[in-house]
Amino acid sequence: MAGNVRRVKFMMGCALAVVACTTTGLPAAQADTTPTCIESDNGYKAEWQASWAIYQAEQGNSTDSRSSIVVDLPITIAAPLQQVWSVYSNLHNDIGRHPFLKDVITHRTCDDAGTQVSDFTALEDIPMGPITFPGHTQAEQRLHPAEHYYTSDSWDIPNITTHQLITFIDNGDGTTTVNEHITFLADPTLLQFTADNGAASHRAYQAALKRDIENGSLTTTR
């Protein structure tokens, strides 16, 4: 998104860097086997690859002048852990529930020793007064089904990055608590606006997922 418009951070899902500072104590992913991947050709893949190259270069940039804000967004859903996990971690269930999200274009999916990785572009229609801006968020999601958590990272113009760690806890009473731990990185002049609007959009789709899981509209299992 251009200027202040590129503030809604998609996060299913909406990404790329390992959130090392937030995953302490979680099981380490195994990397001894060769990933099994499926590639998908589409008109957005070259854009994803170019944007991802910028994202990766920034991860080791010690002169990065951006600032960060971290938020936690917990929500308790009246449904069993496995049902909540299977619905909540499915990117396509955010379509129509996440504000402005119109589609998710998948470029590659991989299974790496039980970790499921998806590279994708989130297409958003962002209202700008009398017009709508077509936003593209480039992202990667990494599912850890055995441990019921996933990480997700995204990048978009103007150099806004998010890192997410989403955890699922069985409360033992038929309910499940999901927490989205999100780090927003942006230029200091855009950071608060980015974090406020990003957190608001995440709360909106969390509420929609909770509603549709609890009323039985979403029962997808993996």
Side-chain angles (χ1 to χ4, degrees), residues 129-208:
I131 65 172
T132 299
F133 181 85
H136 297 176
T137 296
Q138 314 302 335
E140 182 175 274
Q141 180 196 60
R142 295 169 299 278
L143 302 179
H144 301 267
E147 297 88 1
H148 294 105
Y149 79 93
Y150 67 89
T151 60
S152 180
D153 304 276
S154 68
W155 182 91
D156 57 22
I157 298 170
N159 199 17
I160 295 173
T161 296
T162 63
H163 303 306
Q164 301 178 58
L165 169 66
I166 294 83
T167 55
F168 297 73
I169 297 176
D170 185 343
N171 296 319
D173 58 1
T175 69
T176 303
T177 296
V178 183
N179 185 60
E180 296 197 16
H181 181 88
I182 310 173
T183 302
F184 297 95
L185 293 94
D187 182 271
T189 61
L190 296 176
L191 181 60
Q192 192 64 57
F193 189 79
T194 296
D196 289 347
N197 285 274
S201 69
H202 278 254
R203 289 190 182 98
Y205 84 75
Q206 282 184 310

